[in-house]
Amino acid sequence: MKYSRDRIGSPGGRVLYGSTPTIIITLFILMATRLSLSRSAHFCFKHTCPLSRPFTSKNLLQCRICPLWSSSFSLCLHTFRKSTSPNNHPSKSVTVRSFCPSPVSISDSYFKMSIASDDNPLLKDFEFPPFNVIEAKHVRPGIRALLKQAEEDLEVLEKTVEPTWPKLVEPLEKIIDRLTVVWGAVNHLKSVKDNPELRSAIEEVQPEKVAFYLKLGQSKPIYNAFKAIRESPDWDSLSDARKRIVESQIKEAVLSGIALEDDKREQFNKIEQELAKLSQKFEENVLDSTKKFEKLITDKKDIDGLPATALGLAAQTAVSKGHEKATAEDGPWIITLDAPSYMSVMQHAKNRTLREEVYRAYINRASSGDLDNTEIINQILKLRLEKAKLLGYSNYAQVSMAMKMATVEKAEELLEKLRSASWDPAVKDLEDLKDFCKSQGSPEADDLNHWDITFWSERLRESKYELNEEELRPYFSLPRVMNGLFNLVNMLFGINVEPADGLAPVWNNDVRFYRVNDSSGSPIAYFYFDPYSRPSEKRGGAWMDEVVSRSRVLSRDGANARLPVAHMVCNQMPPVGDKPSLMTFREVETVFHEFGHALQHMLTKQDEGLVAGIRGVEWDAVELPSQFMENWCYHRDTLMGIAKHYETGETLPEDIYQKLLAAKTFRAGTLSLRQLRFATVDLELHAKYVPGGSESIYCVDRRVSKRTQVLPPLPDDKFLASFSHIFAGGYAAGYYSYKWAEVLSADAFSAFEDVGLENEKAVKETGQRFRETVLALGGGKAPLEVSLFSCSLEAGNLLLNHCLGIMAYCQLPPLHEIITETSAIVVPHFKGH
C-alpha cells in the first residue's frame, strides 16, 4: 500500500483495485499501498497498498500483484534472443527463458496452455510476464482460455476434494495461480499503459472473470472441506500458517455469500458484478479527467515563481502536445493536474488566479459531464449496503472490518483521539500562516483560501527553517537515492540489490528491473521499478504490487520455492534535458515507503503461498513496513549517503540536514487533520450514510470537515469524486488503517532507537530480528504475534511527534495522556483481547 502523506489518490500507495468478489483464496490479495495506494504530497494523489482480501484483479495492492518462476528452477528451457535498449541502459541482447514445467496433478493442460494459441503471449509459459508484447487483442481470447481451463480444473477438484492439504489447498492454489498472474499483468498494463482498446477488452471479459471467482468463493465442497479440516482431530498439529489459511478461507467464503441460497445468492452475484464494473469506471473517469485538463501559458509573467525544474517539465509537456519549439526559458508551457505539475503550481506560482484555477480543477476531477463519478459513488454505496444486509450485517463498514483487526467503534475512537489532539495545533498553523502573510504585505492575508495555503506554507517554511525544497532537488537525484536505499537494506537486512535490466521484459523503456540476493549471492526475489510520471497513459499516485508470490506448491523443481516478484510504481518528475530525475524530499519518502511494502513481499520466508509476504496480512497492519521505512529518511547516515549533489558530488551540508530534522513536524497538525478527514468521511459513508436519503455524499463530507478542517472546504469541493482509495481500491471503510498502522510502525522503529541508531552492530542485529519476524512471516501469524516489538511510551512519542507535531504546541503531560490513550485503543485490540 504514497505520496501523499494523506495517501489518497493512491493515498496511499499501496491499493487493491476493484470490488471483484471476495474469494476463499487470500492468495488474491495483492496489496499499498493499490496500497494505491497512490501517494500525494499534501494532496490526494497517493498510494495504494493489497492485503487480507482475496486476490482479485482489483485487489491490486497498490499497496497490488502477478507471479513468476525462480531462476533456480531446473526445467527444460527454451531460449530466444531479444534485443532491448532501455533509456539510460546500454543496448544488449538478452536471453529470455520459457519454461516447460513438469506435470502437475490437478491438470496437465494447465501448464500446456500455449498449445491453444502459439501467438498469444498470455497463453505461453513464461518466466516473467511478457509485458512488452501483451496487447489488447490478446486479452479476450487469452483470459477466456484460462477461465475455461480453470473452470474445468475446479470441477475436477470439487469432485475429488478431501479435507487434507494435498487434496484441497495445494490443488486450489494451482488452479488459481495462472489466472491470477495473467489477469494481474493485464490490469497492471491498464494502470501504467492505458489505452481505449485495452480498457474495452478488460471490460468485456471482466464479468466472466468475476463469475468464476464467485463460483469459486461459493463452492460448498471446498468450503465444507475447509470446515472439516478445522474440526478434525489433527487441527492442533497444524502450523500457525496453515491454521491462518483455514480460518481465513472460511471467513472469506462467508463474505463471498456461501450461505446464501437461490434468489439471495443471485442478487449477491449481480451486486458483485455491478460493483466490479462501477469501480473500474470510477478509476477510468479519474484518469481521464486528470488528463483532460491542460493549461497553455504563453506569457512567462503568468508562471512567475515556478522553479526551473517545473518550467522544464511544463515545456517538455508542451513539446509532447505539438509545440515543438517550446523551451523552459521562453515557453510555451503546459500545466496539467499530474502530481509534479500540480504541486509545482500550488507551491511556487505567484499568480494567485492560476493557483485558484488549477486547485479548483483538481478538487473537482471526475465530478461533471460524461466523466462525473457522483452517481457512480451513489450506486457503489447503495450496492455495498445491500451486500452487507444480504450477508447479515447492518452496514458495509462491518463487512470490511470482518477481516481486519479493528472494529468500527475502535477505529472511530482512535480517529477521534487523534482529531482532538490535532485540532489546536492545526488552528495555530493557520494563525501562524496568516501572521506570516501579513508580515510579507500579502494582499490575501485576511482572506486566505485553499489555493493560498500551500504557496504560503512553503514561503513560511523557507523563512522559518531556511529550507527551499526546490534548492534541495539537486541533492536527491534518483540514482543516488536508489543506491542509498539499497545500501540501507543491505545494512539492516543483509540483502544485496543489483540491476538486472534485460532479464525481464518491461512495459516502458524507463522501467528498471532488479534482482535481490541474499548474503551468499543467491537470488531471493526480483522487482520492477517504474518511477516517472506519464500522464497520458499512467494512473496517478504510487503503489507496490505483486507480480508473483513465493510458493512451495508452485515450485518448478520440487525442491525450491518459487521466488517472489514485485513492482513499484511512482509518479515523480522525469529527467528534464540532460539532468537526471531530481527529487523532492517527499518523493524520496515515497520511494522508501513503497519499498517497505515490496520488502515484506520479497523477503518473506513463508512457503505457504496463500499467506506468503503481504498475503493474509490484516489491512490495518499492512502499512507497518512501509511507514517504518520512511523513518530512515531522517537517519543521518542514510540521508547523507543519499544526499549528494548530482553535478559536484558535494554532500548535503550539515546545517541543512539539521533544518530538515527541525522541519519534520512543520504544520503536522494540519496534515494530520487532512488525513483524518479522509478516514472519517470513509467510515461515515460506509457505516452511517443512507444512500438516496436527504443528505448527499458531498453534504456528508462538509459535515465531517467541520470537525476535521480548520479552513472549511469550498462549497463546490467534490474531492470524493476522485477518492480512488475507497471507491476503486481496497480501502473502503479501511482508510483509518494508515493511522492504525502508524502506532505499530512507530513502535517498530523505536526498537532501533532504543539500541542506538549510531550503534551499527546493534542496529544490524535489530534489523535481522525485524527481517525474521515482520518481513519473513507474512500472513502466517497474527500481526502482533509476528512483531518482537510491543507498543511502548517511546512508540507513542514517535507516532505523535511524527504525525501530529503535538510536541511543538503542547506540554509533555497532555502528550503522555494522548500516547497512553491511543496505544490503549490499538494494541490491546490488536492482540485480540
Side-chain angles (χ1 to χ4, degrees), residues 710-748:
V710 177
L711 184 64
L714 298 178
D716 61 344
D717 184 331
K718 294 184 178 180
F719 102 91
L720 285 174
S722 58
F723 198 174
S724 296
H725 271 59
I726 68 172
F727 296 120
Y731 282 86
Y735 199 87
Y736 75 91
S737 298
Y738 284 104
K739 288 301 184 186
W740 192 276
E742 276 184 90
V743 175
L744 305 173
S745 63
D747 184 32

Side-chain angles (χ1 to χ4, degrees), residues 190-204:
K190 183 174 180 291
S191 296
V192 297
K193 201 172 182 178
D194 184 50
N195 62 72
E197 294 77 18
L198 185 58
R199 283 188 186 185
S200 177
I202 291 175
E203 182 179 353
E204 186 173 324

Side-chain angles (χ1 to χ4, degrees), residues 26 241-242 244-245 604 606 608-613 615-616 777-780:
T26 305
R242 291 191 172 188
R244 290 263 294 177
I245 289 172
T604 184
Q606 178 57 257
E608 295 292 346
L610 302 188
V611 289
R615 294 179 175 182
L777 298 179

Side-chain angles (χ1 to χ4, degrees), residues 347-408:
Q347 287 181 313
H348 301 292
K350 296 180 180 179
N351 185 338
R352 194 185 189 206
T353 301
L354 175 63
R355 295 200 308 267
E356 178 180 358
E357 180 181 358
V358 173
Y359 178 82
R360 287 183 179 277
Y362 189 83
I363 64 169
N364 286 294
R365 290 177 301 157
S367 65
S368 62
D370 295 340
L371 302 177
D372 192 349
N373 273 337
T374 303
E375 185 54 33
I376 290 177
I377 294 174
N378 290 330
Q379 285 300 309
I380 288 174
L381 294 173
K382 175 176 176 290
L383 291 172
R384 285 176 177 171
L385 180 58
E386 290 179 10
K387 171 183 173 178
K389 291 185 174 180
L390 281 173
L391 294 174
Y393 292 92
S394 300
N395 54 64
Y396 185 77
Q398 293 177 348
V399 177
S400 175
M401 299 292 181
M403 296 298 291
K404 294 181 173 68
M405 298 181 295
T407 63
V408 175

